[in-house]
Amino acid sequence: MRTLEESLLLALEWLSGPGMVKDNTPVGELGRAFGYSFWNGAIRGEYLSREKKWESFCPIWHTGQAVKAFVMAAEALEEKKYLEYAVSGAEFILAQQESSGADAGLIKAYEVEAGSVNTSAILEALDGLFMLSDAVGNKRYEDAAVRALEWVTTHAWQEDLGKFLDIYSPEKRQFLMDNPGSQTRPLLDDAVFLKGWRRSGNEKFRNIALAVAENLLKEENPAGNWIKYIPCNEKNGNIHPRHAYWWGLPMLELFHETGDERFFAVFKRAVDWYRQAIRRDGGLFRDTYTDFSTPSFGHAASGSACAAVMFETYYHETGDDSVLKLIEKTEDFCMMMQLTAPGDTSLKGAILEKVCYPDGSDNIPFLMRDLGSIFFIQAAAKTLMRKKEHLKNEIC
């Protein structure tokens, strides 16, 4: 069995190698439709084994999270070369940001539809820029993230609702309220507004973070989660595996900022949701229902990795060692999902995200997603940092 560090290195080799665009070629048909003129540094999105081809899916925020993963790995492994890959990813993101005009600051974060910017996809790309700015001492990345927050504040924030508008058309310069994927949502992803306030001093950012957190406290259901909002489905009763991560984890930042115990309590409930949602082997499903039942297919390795991050963060905060076995279990699941000897060598080191339903043929029903590798790297880096700190303390 590989060690955690060996699996981390393999995943990094894939993410910085075959997983990253280096020839400026758009990824898939959807990628070409996005109309980006610069692709170098972008992370490839999805690869369905049946079709044996890559397709784009949310390249902006996925690459932003990859930037974060590279920065964390560089620190955990004390290897600066990973910062070079982080810079490449950040440059791809900045190439899609409007520098002037009415939409100055907007990052064209298309997800699954050309011409439709997803607000959450902008926000989820920013934490990596903040972290990279600190790691390389280049304020350019921080400034770009702050400009993006300013655009979201001016255009998407609905102060009376405590939520953000969702789908924006740069061509029409308006939000597409009738788009099937549009839903006004209380986005707290990565606590980027709070982090942006600390860096810029813009008090609006802090006020937005607090208003969104208050809204989430009111609308929490079930405990530690928010089934009312996409990509969950309240009607069907299924919950997205990373939902509690995006909105539960940032509550800890709000607690540290305000001292308000309510924010810590909801963070803990989100951790407890993951305690119940993970399977006996550490796996997690794309659809987990309110009674914690699941389908038989549709695993989400990225969900297991995010659960590991939640458990690591909770352990660091509380010292509650009951989560240590859960960290090991969820990370072991990701390691079991890692391709170490694939027929297609360009997939070596990647974490298999999902096992799909069979289609009646003997085609392998595997879905590769960059997120499995990206969030595994983040989780593994956090664990290695904890273990190194523990060893250092023992020596001292």
Side-chain angles (χ1 to χ4, degrees), residues 71-143:
V71 173
M72 293 172 70
E75 182 180 9
L77 297 170
E78 299 180 17
E79 180 54 79
K80 290 187 175 181
K81 72 176 183 180
Y82 295 116
L83 294 178
E84 298 174 11
Y85 301 119
V87 167
S88 294
E91 292 298 331
F92 165 71
I93 296 169
L94 266 59
Q96 320 314 329
Q97 185 172 42
E98 295 289 342
S99 59
S100 60
D103 274 334
L106 168 68
I107 298 175
K108 292 183 177 180
Y110 304 137
E111 283 213 333
V112 294
E113 186 177 348
S116 297
V117 173
N118 191 301
T119 303
S120 63
I122 297 174
L123 300 181
E124 290 164 10
L126 304 184
D127 199 23
L129 297 181
F130 285 142
M131 293 175 68
L132 178 62
S133 184
D134 294 341
V136 300
N138 188 339
K139 201 167 179 292
R140 176 167 169 263
Y141 303 114
E142 175 185 307
D143 290 344

Side-chain angles (χ1 to χ4, degrees), residues 64-65 153 228 233 247 293 331 352 368:
Q65 290 298 311
T153 297
K228 177 179 178 179
N233 189 315
W247 295 357
S293 64
E331 291 179 343
L352 173 63
M368 305 298 304

Side-chain angles (χ1 to χ4, degrees), residues 46-303:
E46 298 189 342
Y47 179 95
L48 188 60
S49 295
R50 293 167 179 158
E51 299 178 5
K52 297 188 178 350
K53 63 179 182 180
W54 283 97
E55 185 54 272
S56 283
F57 190 89
C58 317
I60 292 294
W61 83 257
H62 285 207
T63 301
Q65 290 298 311
V67 171
K68 185 174 177 178
F70 283 130
V71 173
M72 293 172 70
E75 182 180 9
L77 297 170
E78 299 180 17
E79 180 54 79
K80 290 187 175 181
K81 72 176 183 180
Y82 295 116
L83 294 178
E84 298 174 11
Y85 301 119
V87 167
S88 294
E91 292 298 331
F92 165 71
I93 296 169
L94 266 59
Q96 320 314 329
Q97 185 172 42
E98 295 289 342
S99 59
S100 60
D103 274 334
L106 168 68
I107 298 175
K108 292 183 177 180
Y110 304 137
E111 283 213 333
V112 294
E113 186 177 348
S116 297
V117 173
N118 191 301
T119 303
S120 63
I122 297 174
L123 300 181
E124 290 164 10
L126 304 184
D127 199 23
L129 297 181
F130 285 142
M131 293 175 68
L132 178 62
S133 184
D134 294 341
V136 300
N138 188 339
K139 201 167 179 292
R140 176 167 169 263
Y141 303 114
E142 175 185 307
D143 290 344
V146 169
R147 288 197 304 274
L149 289 174
E150 289 170 345
W151 184 91
V152 172
T153 297
T154 301
H155 294 79
W157 175 239
Q158 304 294 289
E159 187 172 3
D160 57 330
L161 299 176
K163 302 175 185 179
F164 298 91
L165 298 176
D166 227 357
I167 307 296
Y168 181 77
S169 167
E171 181 182 359
K172 297 179 179 179
R173 289 194 52 216
Q174 66 182 34
F175 283 87
L176 306 176
M177 305 304 294
D178 58 347
N179 187 292
S182 179
Q183 184 186 32
T184 306
R185 293 187 289 167
L187 302 169
L188 199 61
D189 312 53
D190 275 340
V192 288
F193 275 96
L194 197 59
K195 295 170 182 177
W197 163 69
R198 290 171 182 159
R199 292 164 182 270
S200 69
N202 186 335
E203 199 68 25
K204 287 183 180 179
F205 294 167
R206 183 179 187 274
N207 293 340
I208 287 172
L210 290 171
V212 170
E214 289 290 348
N215 206 334
L216 288 172
L217 285 174
K218 293 175 186 175
E219 299 190 318
E220 179 187 2
N221 179 45
N225 227 308
W226 293 268
I227 198 170
K228 177 179 178 179
Y229 294 103
I230 57 173
C232 301
N233 189 315
E234 187 173 22
K235 181 180 178 181
N236 295 339
N238 55 294
I239 297 173
H240 188 279
R242 296 188 302 274
H243 208 69
Y245 170 85
W246 288 123
W247 295 357
L249 182 58
M251 289 290 183
L252 187 61
E253 290 273 357
L254 271 295
F255 167 67
H256 288 156
E257 172 60 30
T258 66
D260 191 329
E261 293 285 348
R262 295 176 304 151
F263 297 138
F264 178 77
V266 73
F267 161 68
K268 184 178 182 298
R269 289 194 294 272
V271 172
D272 289 341
W273 185 86
Y274 280 109
R275 286 182 192 261
Q276 297 176 81
I278 60 170
R279 305 295 83 185
R280 288 180 179 269
D281 59 1
L284 198 64
F285 280 79
R286 174 59 175 78
D287 292 323
T288 298
Y289 290 83
T290 52
D291 62 356
F292 294 101
S293 64
T294 69
S296 297
F297 292 88
H299 311 74
S302 61

